[in-house]
Amino acid sequence: MMTTKTTIRVNIPQDAYDVRIAPGGLDYLGAWLSAEGTPLVKPGQKVLVVSNPVVFELYGERAIASLTQAGYQVCQCILPAGEQYKNMASIEKIHDAAYENRLERSSAMVALGGGVIGDMTGFAAATWLRGIAVVQVPTSLLAMVDASMGGKTGVNHPKGKNLIGAFHQPRMVLIDPQVLETLPVREFRAGVAEVIKYGVIWDEPLFEALEAANRLDDFTEVSDDLLQTMLKHSCQAKADVVSQDVKEAGIRAILNYGHTVGHAVESLTGYSKINHGEAVAIGMVAAARIAEAMNESDWDGAATARQQVLLEKTQLPTQLPDGINIDEILVALKSDKKVSEGKVRFVLPKKLGEAFVTDQVSDEGARRVLKAIVTE
Ligand code: GLY
């Protein structure tokens, strides 16, 4: 297991914070939060740890021991695992725990889990007493490289994913790569989908490092060096982008590469059959092919093929699931929150390491590409 520690600064004015990548770092959670002289959360304060039963069973004790040792009064709220629980009822449960434990303005919440726990804890913290501190301790690769950073928090509405939410930056993000040892392989691959995304939209050397790897489909087959590169480059890419555009008024939208079709696929398959990373993988195939067909950039068939090789090496799906209705996808695209003035915004690659946003993709163009990637 790699031993190198890295800290990446997310330079958001008034809200800057560190992303610490540190093997074994879970045991230093309390110490880093209470750092002498400049504590991120004052020792003695209440800290509500929010997690799910699976993650809490594995890592709850260590997180709580570390926080208690640093002098915090620790309480906990355990929510059922799964995207289907990412709703307002769960937020109410976190707020109930905050009320019962008398969390104050100077208290904090710690999200110990994957993207669902991170998004919900962030939103509960953003809204409790009009905003208290949140610390993100992501335990899935996907949450490490994407969801835990950048301050997007929220829950799903019955009519659509992440429709309810707020921007609320964490005080710290603590990434302990050792916890990936217990991550189910399918979840690991979902995280790699987002890493490939950064390679395509921002970081060509990252893309090339992924190309050089023999395998990307299993954590145990990925070298320490490569894992370090994946985490460091992905987090740096996200930090670079969000610090330029915190509220997604412009460039931040490129982080949604693969997510336009991806969100539609997730919602049409009921958020259960296909996970987020898998849906994004299919969405990246669609976006790459649309870019190729539109012929408005340097992106060509060879680049689409290189992306395809990486997705296949990760054993991610690259075709739309059998039985999915293309008309329904086109309707779903228009109800996504990324729609502006009725036009669907696609993120398309320009060349390896660069992407742009466009609302010029015709329904016909999208339909042609989607038809071409239906499972035969
Ligand atoms: N996950 C995309 C973003 O944070 O903007």
Side-chain angles (χ1 to χ4, degrees), residues 141-163:
L141 180 60
L142 199 139
M144 288 176 183
V145 298
D146 185 23
S148 64
M149 298 174 65
K152 280 190 181 174
T153 72
V155 291
N156 300 331
H157 181 272
K159 297 279 183 214
K161 198 174 155 75
N162 293 336
L163 289 181

Side-chain angles (χ1 to χ4, degrees), residues 146-147 149-150 152 194 197 238 242 248 252 255-256 259:
D146 185 23
M149 298 174 65
K152 280 190 181 174
E194 297 278 357
K197 176 192 85 176
K238 178 116 191 200
V242 299
E248 201 170 300
R252 183 169 179 162
L255 297 175
N256 297 324
H259 289 57

